[in-house]
Amino acid sequence: MNQITSPQDSQTNVPWWLSPHGLCIGFLLPMILLIWGFGSITSSTFTVRGYIYLNSEYIALAIMIVLLSAGAAWMGSYVKLNVRVPHESQVNLALRVLGYIAFAAYIYWFKDLIFNPINIINIFRGTGLSRNEIGATQGITSLVNFTPIFISIYIYAKYITKLPLRLDVTLLFYAIILLTLLRVFAWAERLALIETLLPFALLMTRQQVFKRWKVLNFLVTAGPFIALPMLVLYFGAAEYFRSWNATVYSGKSDFWDFAIGRIASYYYTSLNNGAGMLATQNWPTYQFENVLNWLHKFPVLGRIFSYYVNLHDLSLGEFLTRFGDQEFNNPSGVYSVILDMGLPLGLLYFFITAFISGMLYRGYIRGNFTGVALYPIFFITLLEIFRYPYLGSSRAFTCILGMIVALIIIKRRIRT
C-alpha cells in the first residue's frame, strides 16, 4: 500500500527543479512573466500576427494555476510509493515487447528513408521527401511513442536497479535511439528529441553525477535557466531550415536575433492564442478538444466521441482563421484546459495532474518502477504547459498505454 510520510526520508540534495513544485515556483512562474514581457518588445524578429489578448487578467489566471499546481505537487510528494524490484525476466520481457513494437513502427514509418538512404542525403541537400511524402499512418506509426517509456524502463533496469539486460534489449535500445534521431531530423519533430534526452538528464541529476565538480554542479543546480541558451540554439537551428530564408526574415537580422525572436514569438503566441479563445468563444465547451485530444483522434471510437460531444469544427482552427495566425497554432496548456472544462473543473484537472506528478516524483527519487518510468512524462507536461496540454495528446496517451502494458507484464512476478 502507499504510505503518507515526510519526503525528507528520500534524497534531499537533488536540485530544486527536479521536483514538480520546485519547477513550478522557480522556473515556470518567472517564465510566465518573461513571456508576457515579450509583448512590449518591438523587434523585426518577434512576430505576433493577429490581435493581442494576453492582458494582466489572463496572466494572473496563469500564475494562479501554476501556484495551485505547485501546492498540489508538494502535497503529492508526501505520498510514498512502495519500492519493489521487478524480476529481471519480467523487466526484459516488458522491454522486448515495447521495444520491438516501437522498432517495427519506426521501420514501417521511415521505410522509404531506411531502405533508400539517398533520400536521407537529399534531405541534407534540401531536396528530400516532404512530410506528406514520408507520411504517417494513424494507429500504427503512433506506436513509436512507446519509445519514452522504453527508454525510462531501460534506464531503471541498467542504472538504478542494475538488473542484467538481454543482448537483444541493448541492441534495441541503440537502434531506437538512432531511429528517433532520424525522426527528429526527417520529420522535424523537436519534441521527440526532448522526450528521448530528458530521462537521461533526470537520471544524471538524481544520481548527482556532477556533484564532485563545482562548476558542473553549479550548472546543474541552475538547471532550466542554464538550458535556455541551448533551447534557443536548438529551436533556432530547427527553424533555420524552415523560416530563415523567408522574405520576412532573410537578411534582416543575425542568427541569434532570429532564434530568440522566433522562440519568443512561439511561446508568447501560444499563450495569446489560449487567452484569445477564452475572450472570443463561449466556454466551457465540454467538448474536451484539448484535454482528450487523443480520444478524438482514436480510430472509430474518436468519431463516435466527437459526435456525442458535438465537436464538428476545431475551436483553435476557427480562432486562428478569424483572429490569429495559422503558422503559430498552439493553444497553450493553461487556457485551453479552461476552455474545455470551465474554471472549477479546470482547476481540479490541474490539481489532480500536479498531485500525481508529486507522487511520481517521490517514487522516482526512491527508485519505484512506476515513478521512474512515468515521471519524465509528467515533467514534460509541466514544461509544455505554455504550449499545449501534453497529457491530452496522442503521444502522451500512447506512452501511458505502453506503461500499462509494462505494468501488466511485471505484475506477474515481483520480488522484494
Side-chain angles (χ1 to χ4, degrees):
M1 295 178 61
N2 299 338
Q3 303 175 32
I4 309 295
T5 60
S6 168
Q8 298 303 317
D9 63 350
S10 57
Q11 297 181 34
T12 57
N13 295 323
V14 295
W16 55 271
W17 57 266
L18 191 61
S19 70
H21 40 289
L23 186 69
C24 285
I25 297 296
F27 182 68
L28 297 183
L29 203 57
M31 287 305 297
I32 289 176
L33 300 177
L34 178 63
I35 293 170
W36 187 31
F38 283 135
S40 60
I41 294 177
T42 301
S43 170
S44 60
T45 58
F46 178 73
T47 306
V48 180
R49 304 186 189 107
Y51 297 94
I52 301 292
Y53 298 97
L54 195 60
N55 58 30
S56 57
E57 293 180 359
Y58 288 116
I59 290 296
L61 175 60
I63 290 173
M64 179 180 69
I65 287 172
V66 170
L67 290 175
L68 172 70
S69 298
W74 176 77
M75 286 188 281
S77 69
Y78 277 80
V79 178
K80 185 172 73 174
L81 302 179
N82 285 339
V83 178
R84 296 175 179 176
V85 180
H87 193 273
E88 63 184 66
S89 64
Q90 308 311 117
V91 174
N92 276 281
L93 178 58
L95 286 169
R96 280 172 167 162
V97 171
L98 296 180
Y100 280 115
I101 290 175
F103 179 77
Y106 265 126
I107 297 299
Y108 174 81
W109 188 4
F110 294 112
K111 56 185 179 295
D112 291 335
L113 299 177
I114 295 169
F115 299 115
N116 190 6
I118 191 64
N119 287 327
I120 299 178
I121 297 174
N122 287 337
I123 292 176
F124 279 105
R125 295 173 175 171
T127 59
L129 299 175
S130 67
R131 268 193 170 204
N132 291 333
E133 291 173 309
I134 295 174
T137 304
Q138 198 172 46
I140 298 178
T141 53
S142 59
L143 292 174
V144 301
N145 292 315
F146 278 178
T147 295
I149 293 297
F150 171 83
I151 290 174
S152 292
I153 296 176
Y154 182 91
I155 286 174
Y156 167 84
K158 185 172 180 65
Y159 299 106
I160 295 180
T161 57
K162 302 187 185 304
L163 295 174
L165 293 171
R166 302 296 185 261
L167 177 61
D168 64 321
V169 169
T170 301
L171 293 176
L172 267 176
F173 170 77
Y174 289 110
I176 288 174
I177 292 292
L178 290 175
L179 288 167
T180 300
L181 293 177
L182 176 62
R183 172 186 181 184
V184 172
F185 171 67
W187 198 250
E189 192 174 347
R190 293 181 291 262
L191 186 54
L193 183 61
I194 294 173
E195 290 171 332
T196 301
L197 295 180
L198 183 64
F200 292 100
L202 295 181
L203 172 73
M204 289 188 292
T205 306
R206 177 192 184 275
Q207 306 290 73
Q208 302 180 51
V209 171
F210 303 114
K211 187 176 182 180
R212 68 183 69 179
W213 297 289
K214 290 185 178 180
V215 174
L216 292 178
N217 191 49
F218 168 77
L219 295 178
V220 171
T221 301
F225 293 104
I226 293 297
L228 280 178
M230 291 185 288
L231 175 63
V232 172
L233 176 62
Y234 175 48
F235 189 93
E239 289 292 304
Y240 180 89
F241 296 100
R242 298 173 58 187
S243 307
W244 177 255
N245 293 322
T247 54
V248 68
Y249 299 113
S250 181
K252 297 182 180 179
S253 66
D254 61 28
F255 172 78
W256 283 106
D257 285 342
F258 164 77
I260 294 171
R262 286 293 290 179
I263 197 170
S265 303
Y266 194 65
Y267 281 95
Y268 183 91
T269 308
S270 296
L271 287 175
N272 188 63
N273 285 343
M277 286 192 292
L278 291 182
T280 60
Q281 300 183 22
N282 294 323
W283 56 275
T285 65
Y286 296 120
Q287 294 174 328
F288 308 103
E289 174 185 339
N290 301 287
V291 296
L292 291 177
N293 183 264
W294 65 268
L295 185 52
H296 286 289
K297 294 181 178 180
F298 204 87
V300 182
L301 183 61
R303 293 184 180 180
I304 298 174
F305 179 69
S306 298
Y307 172 80
Y308 278 104
V309 297
N310 198 32
L311 179 65
H312 303 293
D313 298 308
L314 298 180
S315 301
L316 177 61
E318 179 184 349
F319 170 79
L320 294 177
T321 300
R322 297 178 60 191
F323 306 106
D325 181 2
Q326 296 288 344
E327 182 183 2
F328 297 95
N329 57 5
N330 288 310
S332 97
V334 179
Y335 308 116
S336 60
V337 173
I338 305 302
L339 179 76
D340 282 355
M341 307 176 68
L343 199 56
L345 288 179
L347 294 178
L348 180 62
Y349 172 90
F350 285 111
F351 182 91
I352 292 173
T353 54
F355 187 87
I356 294 173
S357 297
M359 290 177 57
L360 293 174
Y361 163 71
R362 179 69 180 283
Y364 181 84
I365 292 298
R366 300 185 70 240
N368 169 269
F369 176 83
T370 303
V372 172
L374 273 185
Y375 183 57
I377 303 301
F378 281 78
F379 193 89
I380 290 177
T381 298
L382 290 173
L383 289 179
E384 291 285 15
I385 196 171
F386 301 129
R387 288 206 314 128
Y388 75 118
Y390 178 80
L391 277 183
S393 67
S394 297
R395 64 195 309 135
F397 168 76
T398 310
C399 284
I400 293 173
L401 180 62
M403 185 63 198
I404 292 172
V405 171
L407 285 174
I408 291 173
I409 293 171
I410 71 163
K411 290 298 182 181
R412 292 170 52 192
R413 183 181 177 188
I414 295 179
R415 63 177 172 85
T416 55

